[in-house]
Amino acid sequence: MIVLVRHLLLFAVLLVTITACSPVGEQKVASSADPTSTPSRQVSNPLDAHGVAACDLLGPAALQQAGMEPGSATDTSSASATGCLWRSSDHAETLEFVLNLGMPVEVMDASVGVVPDYVAGELRGFPSVREGAIDSSICTIYVAIASTQVFSTEVSSRAESSSLAACDRAELAALAVLDALAVRSR
């Protein structure tokens, strides 16, 4: 729930900033130029996530790959976003998926080049932003799947050691979400 609140607060701050300032390896890093000085990134093959049940989106294999227990889902949805949180068996790690159906790509990109450790990129052709240092214990991947639909996957770890870094697991979860949404859109 705290992660969802943080995402919603970030959305609000970025929206105000844009309004006030306007006149595991698959992720490609794009230029970190000021997004207000360049045209908005476009989603060339949009996916529609309306009606998605967040806790049903990722299957057991994707959750286990991210180090989470498949049966640990907790719905974190609110009035403005759909979300789900999964935990590892020892509760030292979490994966949260948040889907915001009203967030423009420009809002997702607004902190790139302004906030440290916000890096613009692309994930399977979709505009993305990584929040968090590559070796951080908390990492969030934001992915724009339509002009006003952005989801995030965040991995948080208090574990002593893990086979994959938080950013690698957040990216794997984001790829699994893209796969699930693509299958759903056919």
Side-chain angles (χ1 to χ4, degrees):
M1 186 65 168
I2 291 172
V3 175
L4 180 61
V5 170
R6 193 177 96 210
H7 286 267
L8 294 174
L9 287 174
L10 174 64
F11 175 72
V13 168
L14 293 175
L15 190 57
V16 168
T17 303
I18 286 174
T19 305
C21 295
S22 26
V24 178
E26 270 194 60
Q27 187 170 15
K28 298 177 196 168
V29 175
S31 168
S32 61
D34 178 11
T36 59
S37 67
T38 58
S40 171
R41 296 192 291 164
Q42 302 295 313
V43 178
S44 58
N45 267 333
L47 298 172
D48 184 12
H50 284 89
V52 165
C55 290
D56 296 335
L57 192 60
L58 295 177
L63 291 169
Q64 288 170 341
Q65 186 176 29
M68 303 302 139
E69 281 292 313
S72 67
T74 301
D75 189 324
T76 59
S77 299
S78 69
S80 59
T82 300
C84 192
L85 178 81
W86 293 271
R87 298 183 189 286
S88 61
S89 60
D90 63 359
H91 294 267
E93 299 176 301
T94 60
L95 164 64
E96 183 160 25
F97 165 73
V98 176
L99 172 63
N100 190 312
L101 297 175
M103 180 186 283
V105 176
E106 297 84 7
V107 172
M108 179 185 79
D109 284 343
S111 293
V112 173
V114 178
V115 177
D117 295 325
Y118 270 66
V119 179
E122 211 174 76
L123 204 57
R124 290 211 180 125
F126 292 91
S128 67
V129 172
R130 186 193 75 231
E131 173 192 358
I134 207 76
D135 60 350
S136 174
S137 62
I138 299 174
C139 186
T140 307
I141 305 290
Y142 299 91
V143 182
I145 56 171
S147 61
T148 60
Q149 295 183 36
V150 174
F151 75 80
S152 65
T153 55
E154 178 175 282
V155 170
S156 175
S157 177
R158 296 184 324 248
E160 293 287 324
S161 65
S162 184
S163 59
L164 287 174
C167 282
D168 292 335
R169 288 184 291 144
E171 185 174 312
L172 286 171
L175 290 168
V177 168
L178 287 171
D179 290 344
L181 291 173
V183 166
R184 187 180 171 277
S185 295
R186 285 187 212 163

